[in-house]
Amino acid sequence: MAGADLYGVMGSLRSVREFSDRPVSDEALRQILEMTIRAPNGGNSQSWRFLVLRDPKVRREVGRLYLEALLQQVEAATPDEVLARPGITRTLRDAVHLARHLGEAPPVQVLACIEKSGVSDPGSSIFPAVQNLMLAAWGLGLGTVLTTVWRHRDEEMRALLGVPDDIEMAALIPLGHPAKAYGPPKRRAIDDVVSYDRWSG
Ligand SMILES: Cc1cc2nc3c(=O)[nH]c(=O)nc-3n(C[C@H](O)[C@H](O)[C@H](O)COP(=O)(O)O)c2cc1C
């Protein structure tokens, strides 16, 4: 196994919220999906389903719902109102950018879903696959971001995409070429979050 490569990809993975509209090749998409479905999952039931959205009209509609959902989440009427907030975090500013442009770029959105009755804890069985998808994409120089804020428009998304009620929609992952370079992720130090043998607060 190419351990160094794996660590390089894992160690640099970032949430990408600014995409170019450069197409994602069918081959790259296929490779990413191949890695996605290698993920661990409860009882190996593989109750996951992945809805790949490429039709511009569909993506635009998803983008519209996403923006509505984000504004609901942050209790604002318009994106500009959010951006004008004093002390707005970089993450929120970037999240607003994504919400504004999701309908145009990136060229692919993947909705990761799981059968509600397929496993006892559906969330635990879909997120390893989502992480695999993100790492596989990053390894090919493609960006992603795990999103759930659109769940404020869950019913509208379900109707738009024809997703049956027995399927849980877990995460929407925009997928495309990053429009800018991303530095390494900022994370708390290991010693702040890890203890050994007994909880140390
Ligand atoms: C469960 C979950 C839900 C998330 N939902 C959203 C979202 O709806 N929109 C968004 O822009 N980012 C979302 N994120 C991305 C996080 O904001 C991101 O992982 C975090 O800020 C770290 O970013 P970094 O990896 O670039 O350092 C979500 C992440 C997780 C794990």
Side-chain angles (χ1 to χ4, degrees), residues 8-100:
V9 171
M10 290 176 81
S12 62
L13 179 67
R14 289 293 313 280
S15 298
V16 170
R17 298 189 181 87
E18 283 185 48
F19 294 93
S20 79
D21 54 9
R22 193 175 144 198
V24 171
S25 72
D26 288 348
E27 190 196 357
L29 184 57
R30 183 83 194 179
Q31 274 181 297
I32 292 165
L33 293 170
E34 287 284 359
M35 293 303 110
T36 301
I37 60 161
R38 299 289 206 275
N41 63 97
N44 203 21
S45 69
Q46 301 169 67
S47 310
W48 45 43
R49 295 288 180 274
F50 301 92
L51 190 46
V52 178
L53 310 179
R54 293 191 289 194
D55 181 330
K57 271 194 294 196
V58 175
R59 287 187 290 111
R60 207 171 307 125
E61 275 305 289
V62 170
R64 189 180 62 74
L65 294 172
Y66 189 101
L67 179 58
E68 283 180 17
L70 181 84
L71 292 174
Q72 180 176 335
Q73 169 86 20
V74 300
E75 299 177 5
T78 65
D80 286 335
E81 192 185 312
V82 187
L83 295 175
R85 284 180 182 169
I88 178 175
T89 62
R90 189 187 192 128
T91 299
L92 182 54
R93 199 167 357 103
D94 291 351
V96 170
H97 180 95
L98 173 69
R100 263 186 160 156

Coordinates of all heavy atoms in Angstrom, one line a residue, residues 8-100:
G8 N -0.6 11.6 3.1 CA -0.6 12.9 2.4 C -2.0 13.4 2.1 O -2.4 14.5 2.3
V9 N -2.8 12.5 1.6 CA -4.2 12.8 1.2 C -5.0 13.1 2.5 O -5.7 14.1 2.6 CB -4.8 11.7 0.3 CG1 -6.3 11.9 0.1 CG2 -4.1 11.6 -1.0
M10 N -4.9 12.2 3.4 CA -5.7 12.3 4.7 C -5.3 13.6 5.4 O -6.2 14.3 6.0 CB -5.5 11.1 5.6 CG -6.2 9.9 5.1 SD -5.8 8.5 6.1 CE -7.0 8.7 7.4
G11 N -4.0 13.8 5.4 CA -3.5 15.0 6.2 C -3.8 16.3 5.7 O -3.7 17.3 6.4
S12 N -4.1 16.4 4.4 CA -4.3 17.7 3.7 C -5.8 17.9 3.4 O -6.1 19.0 2.9 CB -3.5 17.8 2.5 OG -3.8 16.8 1.5
L13 N -6.7 16.9 3.6 CA -8.1 17.1 3.2 C -8.7 18.3 3.8 O -8.7 18.5 5.0 CB -8.9 15.8 3.6 CG -10.3 15.8 3.2 CD1 -10.6 15.7 1.7 CD2 -11.1 14.7 3.9
R14 N -9.3 19.1 2.9 CA -10.0 20.3 3.4 C -11.5 20.3 2.8 O -11.8 19.6 1.8 CB -9.3 21.6 2.9 CG -8.0 21.9 3.5 CD -8.2 22.2 5.0 NE -9.2 23.2 5.3 CZ -9.0 24.5 5.1 NH1 -7.9 25.0 4.7 NH2 -10.0 25.4 5.3
S15 N -12.3 21.1 3.4 CA -13.6 21.3 2.9 C -13.5 22.4 1.8 O -13.1 23.5 2.1 CB -14.5 21.9 4.0 OG -14.7 20.9 5.0
V16 N -13.9 22.0 0.6 CA -13.8 23.0 -0.5 C -15.2 23.6 -0.8 O -16.2 22.8 -0.9 CB -13.3 22.2 -1.8 CG1 -13.4 23.1 -3.0 CG2 -11.8 21.8 -1.6
R17 N -15.3 24.9 -0.8 CA -16.5 25.6 -1.0 C -16.5 26.5 -2.2 O -17.5 27.2 -2.5 CB -17.0 26.3 0.3 CG -17.2 25.3 1.5 CD -17.9 26.1 2.6 NE -18.0 25.2 3.8 CZ -17.1 25.0 4.7 NH1 -15.9 25.6 4.6 NH2 -17.4 24.2 5.7
E18 N -15.3 26.6 -2.8 CA -15.2 27.4 -4.1 C -14.7 26.5 -5.2 O -13.6 26.0 -5.1 CB -14.2 28.5 -3.9 CG -14.8 29.7 -3.0 CD -13.8 30.8 -3.0 OE1 -13.3 31.3 -4.0 OE2 -13.6 31.3 -1.8
F19 N -15.6 26.3 -6.2 CA -15.3 25.4 -7.2 C -15.3 26.1 -8.6 O -16.0 27.1 -8.8 CB -16.5 24.4 -7.3 CG -16.5 23.4 -6.1 CD1 -17.4 23.8 -5.1 CD2 -15.8 22.3 -6.1 CE1 -17.5 22.9 -4.0 CE2 -15.9 21.4 -5.0 CZ -16.7 21.8 -3.9
S20 N -14.5 25.5 -9.5 CA -14.6 26.0 -10.9 C -15.7 25.1 -11.6 O -16.1 24.1 -11.0 CB -13.3 25.8 -11.6 OG -13.1 24.4 -12.0
D21 N -16.1 25.5 -12.8 CA -17.1 24.7 -13.5 C -16.5 23.7 -14.4 O -17.1 23.1 -15.2 CB -18.1 25.6 -14.2 CG -17.4 26.6 -15.1 OD1 -16.2 26.4 -15.4 OD2 -18.1 27.5 -15.7
R22 N -15.1 23.5 -14.3 CA -14.4 22.5 -15.1 C -15.1 21.1 -14.9 O -15.3 20.7 -13.7 CB -13.0 22.5 -14.6 CG -12.0 21.7 -15.5 CD -10.6 21.9 -15.0 NE -9.9 20.7 -15.2 CZ -8.8 20.4 -14.6 NH1 -8.2 21.2 -13.7 NH2 -8.1 19.3 -14.9
P23 N -15.3 20.4 -15.9 CA -16.0 19.1 -15.8 C -15.2 18.1 -15.0 O -14.0 18.1 -15.0 CB -16.2 18.6 -17.2 CG -15.9 19.8 -18.1 CD -15.1 20.7 -17.4
V24 N -15.9 17.2 -14.4 CA -15.3 16.0 -13.7 C -15.4 14.9 -14.7 O -16.6 14.6 -15.2 CB -16.0 15.7 -12.4 CG1 -15.5 14.4 -11.8 CG2 -15.8 16.8 -11.4
S25 N -14.3 14.2 -15.0 CA -14.4 13.1 -16.1 C -15.2 11.9 -15.5 O -15.2 11.7 -14.3 CB -13.0 12.7 -16.5 OG -12.4 11.9 -15.4
D26 N -15.8 11.2 -16.4 CA -16.5 10.0 -16.1 C -15.6 9.0 -15.4 O -16.0 8.3 -14.4 CB -17.1 9.3 -17.3 CG -18.3 10.1 -17.9 OD1 -18.8 11.0 -17.2 OD2 -18.7 9.8 -19.0
E27 N -14.4 9.0 -15.8 CA -13.4 8.0 -15.3 C -13.1 8.4 -13.8 O -13.1 7.5 -12.9 CB -12.1 8.1 -16.1 CG -11.2 7.0 -15.8 CD -9.8 7.2 -16.3 OE1 -9.5 8.2 -17.0 OE2 -8.9 6.4 -16.0
A28 N -12.9 9.7 -13.5 CA -12.6 10.1 -12.2 C -13.8 9.8 -11.3 O -13.7 9.3 -10.2 CB -12.3 11.6 -12.1
L29 N -15.0 10.1 -11.8 CA -16.2 9.9 -11.0 C -16.3 8.4 -10.7 O -16.6 8.0 -9.5 CB -17.4 10.4 -11.8 CG -18.7 10.3 -11.1 CD1 -18.7 11.1 -9.8 CD2 -19.8 10.8 -12.0
R30 N -16.1 7.5 -11.6 CA -16.2 6.1 -11.4 C -15.2 5.6 -10.4 O -15.5 4.8 -9.5 CB -15.9 5.4 -12.8 CG -16.0 4.0 -12.8 CD -17.5 3.6 -13.0 NE -17.6 2.2 -12.6 CZ -18.8 1.5 -12.7 NH1 -19.9 2.2 -13.0 NH2 -18.9 0.3 -12.3
Q31 N -13.9 6.1 -10.5 CA -12.9 5.7 -9.6 C -13.3 6.1 -8.1 O -13.1 5.4 -7.2 CB -11.6 6.5 -9.9 CG -10.7 5.8 -10.9 CD -9.4 6.6 -11.1 OE1 -9.5 7.8 -11.6 NE2 -8.3 6.1 -10.8
I32 N -13.8 7.3 -8.0 CA -14.2 7.8 -6.7 C -15.3 6.9 -6.1 O -15.3 6.5 -4.9 CB -14.7 9.3 -6.8 CG1 -13.4 10.2 -7.1 CG2 -15.4 9.8 -5.5 CD1 -13.8 11.6 -7.6
L33 N -16.3 6.6 -7.0 CA -17.4 5.8 -6.5 C -17.0 4.4 -6.1 O -17.5 3.8 -5.2 CB -18.5 5.7 -7.6 CG -19.2 7.1 -7.8 CD1 -20.1 7.0 -9.0 CD2 -20.0 7.5 -6.5
E34 N -16.0 3.9 -6.9 CA -15.4 2.5 -6.6 C -14.8 2.5 -5.1 O -14.9 1.6 -4.4 CB -14.3 2.1 -7.6 CG -14.8 1.8 -8.9 CD -15.4 0.4 -9.0 OE1 -15.4 -0.3 -8.0 OE2 -15.8 0.0 -10.1
M35 N -14.1 3.6 -4.8 CA -13.5 3.7 -3.5 C -14.6 4.0 -2.4 O -14.5 3.5 -1.3 CB -12.5 4.9 -3.4 CG -11.3 4.6 -4.2 SD -10.4 3.1 -3.8 CE -10.8 2.0 -5.2
T36 N -15.6 4.7 -2.8 CA -16.7 5.0 -1.9 C -17.4 3.7 -1.3 O -17.6 3.5 -0.1 CB -17.8 5.9 -2.6 OG1 -17.2 7.1 -3.0 CG2 -19.0 6.2 -1.7
I37 N -17.6 2.8 -2.3 CA -18.4 1.6 -1.9 C -17.5 0.5 -1.3 O -17.9 -0.6 -1.0 CB -19.2 1.0 -3.1 CG1 -18.3 0.6 -4.2 CG2 -20.3 2.0 -3.5 CD1 -18.9 -0.3 -5.2
R38 N -16.2 0.9 -1.0 CA -15.3 -0.1 -0.3 C -15.4 0.2 1.2 O -14.8 -0.5 2.0 CB -13.9 0.1 -0.7 CG -13.6 -0.1 -2.1 CD -13.6 -1.6 -2.5 NE -12.8 -1.9 -3.6 CZ -13.1 -1.8 -4.9 NH1 -14.3 -1.3 -5.2 NH2 -12.3 -2.1 -5.8
A39 N -16.2 1.1 1.6 CA -16.2 1.6 3.1 C -16.8 0.5 4.0 O -17.6 -0.3 3.5 CB -16.9 2.9 3.2
P40 N -16.4 0.5 5.3 CA -17.0 -0.3 6.2 C -18.5 0.1 6.4 O -18.8 1.2 6.2 CB -16.2 -0.1 7.5 CG -15.5 1.2 7.3 CD -15.3 1.4 5.9
N41 N -19.3 -0.9 6.7 CA -20.8 -0.6 6.9 C -21.4 -1.7 7.7 O -20.9 -2.9 7.7 CB -21.4 -0.5 5.6 CG -21.4 -1.7 4.8 OD1 -22.4 -2.5 4.7 ND2 -20.3 -2.0 4.1
G42 N -22.4 -1.5 8.5 CA -23.0 -2.4 9.4 C -23.4 -3.7 8.7 O -24.2 -3.7 7.8
G43 N -22.8 -4.8 9.2 CA -23.1 -6.2 8.7 C -22.8 -6.4 7.3 O -23.3 -7.3 6.7
N44 N -22.1 -5.5 6.7 CA -21.8 -5.5 5.2 C -23.1 -5.6 4.4 O -23.2 -6.1 3.4 CB -20.9 -6.6 4.8 CG -20.1 -6.3 3.5 OD1 -20.0 -5.1 3.1 ND2 -19.7 -7.3 2.9
S45 N -24.2 -4.9 5.0 CA -25.4 -4.9 4.3 C -25.4 -4.0 3.0 O -26.3 -4.2 2.1 CB -26.6 -4.5 5.2 OG -26.4 -3.2 5.5
Q46 N -24.5 -3.1 3.0 CA -24.3 -2.1 1.9 C -25.7 -1.5 1.5 O -26.0 -1.5 0.3 CB -23.7 -2.9 0.7 CG -22.3 -3.4 1.1 CD -21.7 -4.4 0.1 OE1 -21.4 -4.0 -1.0 NE2 -21.6 -5.6 0.5
S47 N -26.4 -1.1 2.5 CA -27.7 -0.5 2.2 C -27.6 0.9 1.7 O -28.6 1.7 1.8 CB -28.5 -0.5 3.5 OG -28.5 -1.8 4.1
W48 N -26.5 1.3 1.3 CA -26.3 2.7 0.8 C -26.8 2.9 -0.7 O -26.8 1.9 -1.4 CB -24.8 3.1 0.9 CG -23.8 2.1 0.5 CD1 -23.9 1.4 -0.7 CD2 -22.6 1.8 1.2 NE1 -22.8 0.6 -0.7 CE2 -22.0 0.8 0.4 CE3 -22.0 2.2 2.3 CZ2 -20.8 0.2 0.7 CZ3 -20.8 1.6 2.7 CH2 -20.2 0.7 1.9
R49 N -27.1 4.1 -1.0 CA -27.4 4.5 -2.4 C -26.8 5.8 -2.6 O -26.8 6.7 -1.7 CB -28.9 4.6 -2.6 CG -29.7 3.2 -2.5 CD -29.4 2.3 -3.7 NE -30.1 1.0 -3.5 CZ -29.7 0.0 -2.8 NH1 -28.5 0.0 -2.1 NH2 -30.4 -1.1 -2.7
F50 N -26.3 6.0 -3.8 CA -25.6 7.3 -4.1 C -26.3 7.9 -5.3 O -26.3 7.3 -6.4 CB -24.1 7.1 -4.3 CG -23.5 6.5 -3.1 CD1 -23.3 5.1 -3.0 CD2 -23.0 7.3 -2.1 CE1 -22.7 4.6 -1.9 CE2 -22.5 6.8 -0.9 CZ -22.3 5.4 -0.8
L51 N -26.8 9.1 -5.2 CA -27.5 9.8 -6.3 C -26.6 10.8 -6.8 O -26.2 11.8 -6.1 CB -28.8 10.4 -5.7 CG -29.9 11.0 -6.6 CD1 -30.2 10.0 -7.8 CD2 -31.1 11.2 -5.8
V52 N -26.1 10.6 -8.0 CA -25.1 11.5 -8.6 C -25.9 12.5 -9.5 O -26.6 12.2 -10.4 CB -24.1 10.7 -9.5 CG1 -23.2 11.7 -10.2 CG2 -23.4 9.7 -8.7
L53 N -25.8 13.8 -9.1 CA -26.5 14.8 -9.8 C -25.6 15.6 -10.7 O -24.6 16.2 -10.3 CB -27.1 15.8 -8.8 CG -27.9 15.2 -7.6 CD1 -28.4 16.2 -6.7 CD2 -29.1 14.3 -8.2
R54 N -25.9 15.5 -12.0 CA -25.1 16.2 -13.0 C -25.9 17.1 -13.9 O -25.4 18.1 -14.5 CB -24.3 15.2 -13.9 CG -23.3 14.5 -13.1 CD -22.4 13.7 -14.0 NE -23.1 12.5 -14.6 CZ -22.5 11.5 -15.2 NH1 -21.2 11.5 -15.3 NH2 -23.2 10.5 -15.6
D55 N -27.2 16.9 -14.0 CA -28.1 17.7 -14.8 C -28.1 19.1 -14.3 O -28.4 19.3 -13.1 CB -29.5 17.1 -14.8 CG -30.5 17.9 -15.6 OD1 -30.4 19.1 -15.8 OD2 -31.5 17.2 -16.1
P56 N -27.7 20.1 -15.1 CA -27.7 21.5 -14.6 C -29.0 22.0 -14.0 O -28.9 22.7 -13.0 CB -27.3 22.3 -15.9 CG -26.7 21.3 -16.8 CD -27.3 20.0 -16.5
K57 N -30.1 21.6 -14.6 CA -31.4 22.0 -14.1 C -31.6 21.5 -12.6 O -32.1 22.2 -11.8 CB -32.5 21.6 -15.0 CG -32.8 22.6 -16.1 CD -34.2 22.3 -16.7 CE -34.1 21.0 -17.5 NZ -35.0 20.5 -18.4
V58 N -31.3 20.2 -12.5 CA -31.5 19.6 -11.1 C -30.5 20.3 -10.1 O -30.9 20.6 -9.0 CB -31.2 18.1 -11.2 CG1 -31.3 17.4 -9.8 CG2 -32.2 17.4 -12.2
R59 N -29.3 20.4 -10.5 CA -28.3 21.0 -9.6 C -28.7 22.5 -9.2 O -28.5 22.9 -8.1 CB -26.9 21.0 -10.3 CG -26.3 19.6 -10.3 CD -24.9 19.6 -10.8 NE -24.7 20.0 -12.2 CZ -24.2 21.1 -12.6 NH1 -23.7 22.0 -11.8 NH2 -24.0 21.3 -13.9
R60 N -29.3 23.2 -10.2 CA -29.7 24.5 -9.9 C -30.8 24.5 -8.9 O -30.8 25.3 -7.9 CB -30.2 25.2 -11.2 CG -30.0 26.7 -11.1 CD -30.2 27.4 -12.5 NE -29.4 26.8 -13.6 CZ -29.9 26.3 -14.7 NH1 -31.2 26.3 -14.9 NH2 -29.1 25.8 -15.6
E61 N -31.7 23.6 -9.0 CA -32.9 23.5 -8.0 C -32.3 23.1 -6.6 O -32.8 23.7 -5.6 CB -33.9 22.5 -8.5 CG -34.9 23.0 -9.5 CD -35.6 24.2 -8.9 OE1 -36.4 24.1 -8.0 OE2 -35.4 25.3 -9.4
V62 N -31.4 22.2 -6.6 CA -30.8 21.8 -5.3 C -30.1 23.1 -4.7 O -30.2 23.3 -3.5 CB -29.8 20.6 -5.5 CG1 -29.0 20.4 -4.2 CG2 -30.5 19.4 -5.9
G63 N -29.4 23.8 -5.6 CA -28.7 25.0 -5.1 C -29.7 26.0 -4.5 O -29.4 26.6 -3.5
R64 N -30.8 26.1 -5.1 CA -31.8 27.1 -4.6 C -32.3 26.6 -3.2 O -32.4 27.4 -2.3 CB -33.0 27.1 -5.6 CG -34.0 28.2 -5.3 CD -35.1 28.1 -6.4 NE -35.9 26.9 -6.4 CZ -36.8 26.5 -5.5 NH1 -37.1 27.3 -4.5 NH2 -37.4 25.4 -5.6
L65 N -32.6 25.3 -3.1 CA -33.1 24.8 -1.8 C -32.0 24.9 -0.8 O -32.2 25.2 0.4 CB -33.5 23.3 -2.0 CG -34.7 23.1 -2.8 CD1 -34.9 21.6 -3.0 CD2 -36.0 23.7 -2.2
Y66 N -30.7 24.7 -1.2 CA -29.6 24.8 -0.3 C -29.5 26.2 0.3 O -29.3 26.4 1.5 CB -28.3 24.4 -1.0 CG -27.1 24.2 -0.1 CD1 -26.7 22.9 0.3 CD2 -26.4 25.3 0.4 CE1 -25.6 22.7 1.2 CE2 -25.3 25.1 1.2 CZ -24.9 23.9 1.6 OH -23.9 23.7 2.5
L67 N -29.6 27.2 -0.6 CA -29.5 28.5 -0.1 C -30.6 28.9 0.9 O -30.3 29.5 1.9 CB -29.5 29.5 -1.3 CG -29.4 31.0 -0.9 CD1 -28.1 31.3 -0.2 CD2 -29.4 31.9 -2.2
E68 N -31.8 28.5 0.5 CA -32.9 28.7 1.5 C -32.7 28.1 2.8 O -32.9 28.7 3.9 CB -34.2 28.1 0.9 CG -34.9 28.8 -0.2 CD -36.1 28.1 -0.7 OE1 -36.7 27.2 0.0 OE2 -36.6 28.4 -1.8
A69 N -32.1 26.8 2.8 CA -31.9 26.1 4.0 C -30.8 26.8 4.9 O -30.9 26.9 6.1 CB -31.5 24.7 3.7
L70 N -29.8 27.2 4.2 CA -28.7 27.9 4.9 C -29.2 29.2 5.6 O -28.9 29.5 6.8 CB -27.5 28.3 4.0 CG -26.4 28.9 4.7 CD1 -25.5 27.9 5.4 CD2 -25.6 29.8 3.9
L71 N -30.0 29.9 4.8 CA -30.5 31.2 5.4 C -31.4 30.9 6.6 O -31.4 31.6 7.6 CB -31.3 32.0 4.3 CG -30.4 32.6 3.2 CD1 -31.2 33.2 2.1 CD2 -29.4 33.6 3.8
Q72 N -32.2 29.8 6.5 CA -33.0 29.4 7.7 C -32.1 29.1 8.9 O -32.4 29.5 10.0 CB -33.9 28.2 7.3 CG -34.8 27.8 8.5 CD -35.7 26.7 8.1 OE1 -36.1 26.5 6.9 NE2 -36.1 25.9 9.1
Q73 N -31.1 28.3 8.6 CA -30.2 27.9 9.6 C -29.6 29.1 10.4 O -29.4 29.0 11.6 CB -29.1 27.0 9.0 CG -27.9 26.7 9.9 CD -28.1 25.5 10.7 OE1 -29.0 24.7 10.4 NE2 -27.4 25.3 11.8
V74 N -29.2 30.1 9.6 CA -28.5 31.2 10.3 C -29.4 32.4 10.5 O -29.0 33.5 10.9 CB -27.3 31.7 9.4 CG1 -26.3 30.6 9.3 CG2 -27.7 32.2 8.1
E75 N -30.7 32.1 10.3 CA -31.8 33.1 10.6 C -31.5 34.5 9.9 O -31.4 35.5 10.6 CB -31.9 33.3 12.1 CG -32.4 32.0 12.8 CD -32.5 32.1 14.3 OE1 -32.3 33.2 14.8 OE2 -32.7 31.1 14.9
A76 N -31.4 34.4 8.6 CA -31.1 35.6 7.8 C -32.1 35.6 6.6 O -32.5 34.6 6.2 CB -29.7 35.7 7.4
A77 N -32.4 36.8 6.1 CA -33.3 36.9 4.9 C -32.5 36.8 3.6 O -33.0 36.3 2.6 CB -34.1 38.2 5.0
T78 N -31.2 37.3 3.6 CA -30.4 37.3 2.4 C -29.0 36.9 2.7 O -28.5 37.1 3.8 CB -30.4 38.7 1.7 OG1 -29.7 39.6 2.6 CG2 -31.8 39.2 1.4
P79 N -28.3 36.5 1.7 CA -26.8 36.2 1.9 C -26.1 37.4 2.3 O -25.2 37.3 3.2 CB -26.4 35.7 0.6 CG -27.6 35.2 -0.2 CD -28.7 36.1 0.4
D80 N -26.4 38.6 1.7 CA -25.7 39.8 2.1 C -25.8 40.2 3.5 O -24.9 40.7 4.2 CB -26.1 41.0 1.2 CG -25.5 40.8 -0.2 OD1 -24.5 40.2 -0.4 OD2 -26.2 41.3 -1.2
E81 N -27.0 39.9 4.1 CA -27.3 40.1 5.5 C -26.3 39.3 6.4 O -25.8 39.8 7.4 CB -28.7 39.8 5.8 CG -29.2 40.2 7.2 CD -30.6 39.7 7.4 OE1 -31.5 39.8 6.5 OE2 -30.8 39.2 8.5
V82 N -26.1 38.1 6.0 CA -25.1 37.2 6.7 C -23.7 37.8 6.6 O -23.0 37.9 7.6 CB -25.1 35.8 6.2 CG1 -24.3 34.9 7.1 CG2 -26.6 35.2 6.1
L83 N -23.3 38.1 5.4 CA -22.0 38.6 5.1 C -21.7 39.9 5.9 O -20.5 40.2 6.2 CB -21.7 38.7 3.6 CG -21.8 37.4 2.8 CD1 -21.6 37.7 1.3 CD2 -20.7 36.4 3.3
A84 N -22.7 40.7 6.1 CA -22.5 42.0 6.8 C -22.4 41.8 8.3 O -22.1 42.8 9.0 CB -23.7 42.9 6.5
R85 N -22.6 40.6 8.8 CA -22.5 40.5 10.3 C -21.1 40.7 10.8 O -20.2 40.1 10.3 CB -23.0 39.0 10.7 CG -24.5 38.9 10.6 CD -24.8 37.4 11.0 NE -26.3 37.3 10.8 CZ -26.9 36.1 10.9 NH1 -26.2 35.0 11.1 NH2 -28.2 36.1 10.7
P86 N -21.0 41.5 11.9 CA -19.7 41.8 12.4 C -19.1 40.4 13.0 O -19.8 39.7 13.6 CB -19.9 42.8 13.5 CG -21.3 43.1 13.6 CD -22.1 42.2 12.6
G87 N -17.8 40.2 12.8 CA -17.2 39.0 13.3 C -17.6 37.7 12.7 O -17.4 36.7 13.3
I88 N -18.1 37.8 11.5 CA -18.5 36.5 10.8 C -17.3 35.6 10.7 O -16.2 36.1 10.3 CB -19.2 36.9 9.5 CG1 -19.6 35.6 8.7 CG2 -18.3 37.7 8.6 CD1 -20.3 35.8 7.4
T89 N -17.5 34.3 10.9 CA -16.4 33.4 10.8 C -16.1 33.1 9.3 O -17.0 33.3 8.5 CB -16.7 32.1 11.5 OG1 -17.8 31.5 10.8 CG2 -17.0 32.2 13.0
R90 N -14.9 32.7 9.1 CA -14.5 32.4 7.7 C -15.3 31.2 7.2 O -15.7 31.2 6.1 CB -13.0 32.0 7.8 CG -12.4 31.9 6.4 CD -11.0 31.3 6.5 NE -10.5 31.5 5.2 CZ -9.3 32.1 4.9 NH1 -8.6 32.5 5.8 NH2 -8.9 32.2 3.7
T91 N -15.6 30.3 8.1 CA -16.3 29.1 7.7 C -17.7 29.5 7.2 O -18.2 29.1 6.2 CB -16.4 28.1 8.8 OG1 -15.1 27.6 9.2 CG2 -17.3 26.8 8.4
L92 N -18.4 30.4 8.0 CA -19.7 30.9 7.6 C -19.6 31.7 6.3 O -20.5 31.5 5.4 CB -20.3 31.7 8.7 CG -21.8 32.2 8.4 CD1 -22.7 31.0 8.0 CD2 -22.4 32.9 9.6
R93 N -18.6 32.5 6.1 CA -18.5 33.3 4.9 C -18.3 32.3 3.7 O -19.0 32.5 2.7 CB -17.3 34.2 5.0 CG -17.3 35.3 4.0 CD -16.3 36.5 4.2 NE -15.5 36.4 5.3 CZ -14.2 36.1 5.3 NH1 -13.6 35.8 4.2 NH2 -13.5 36.2 6.4
D94 N -17.5 31.3 3.9 CA -17.3 30.3 2.8 C -18.6 29.5 2.6 O -18.9 29.1 1.4 CB -16.2 29.4 3.2 CG -14.8 30.1 3.2 OD1 -14.7 31.2 2.7 OD2 -13.8 29.5 3.6
A95 N -19.3 29.2 3.7 CA -20.6 28.5 3.5 C -21.6 29.3 2.7 O -22.3 28.7 1.9 CB -21.1 28.1 4.9
V96 N -21.6 30.6 2.9 CA -22.5 31.4 2.2 C -22.1 31.4 0.7 O -22.9 31.4 -0.2 CB -22.5 32.9 2.7 CG1 -23.2 33.8 1.8 CG2 -23.1 32.9 4.1
H97 N -20.8 31.5 0.5 CA -20.3 31.4 -0.9 C -20.8 30.2 -1.6 O -21.3 30.2 -2.7 CB -18.7 31.5 -1.0 CG -18.2 31.5 -2.4 ND1 -17.9 32.6 -3.1 CD2 -18.0 30.5 -3.2 CE1 -17.5 32.3 -4.3 NE2 -17.5 31.0 -4.4
L98 N -20.6 29.0 -0.9 CA -21.0 27.8 -1.5 C -22.5 27.8 -1.8 O -23.0 27.4 -2.9 CB -20.7 26.6 -0.5 CG -21.3 25.3 -0.9 CD1 -20.6 24.7 -2.2 CD2 -21.2 24.3 0.2
A99 N -23.3 28.3 -0.8 CA -24.7 28.3 -1.0 C -25.2 29.2 -2.2 O -26.1 28.8 -2.9 CB -25.4 28.8 0.3
R100 N -24.5 30.3 -2.4 CA -24.8 31.1 -3.5 C -24.5 30.5 -4.9 O -25.1 30.8 -5.8 CB -23.9 32.4 -3.4 CG -24.7 33.5 -2.7 CD -23.8 34.8 -2.8 NE -24.6 35.9 -2.6 CZ -24.2 37.1 -2.1 NH1 -22.9 37.2 -1.8 NH2 -25.0 38.1 -2.0

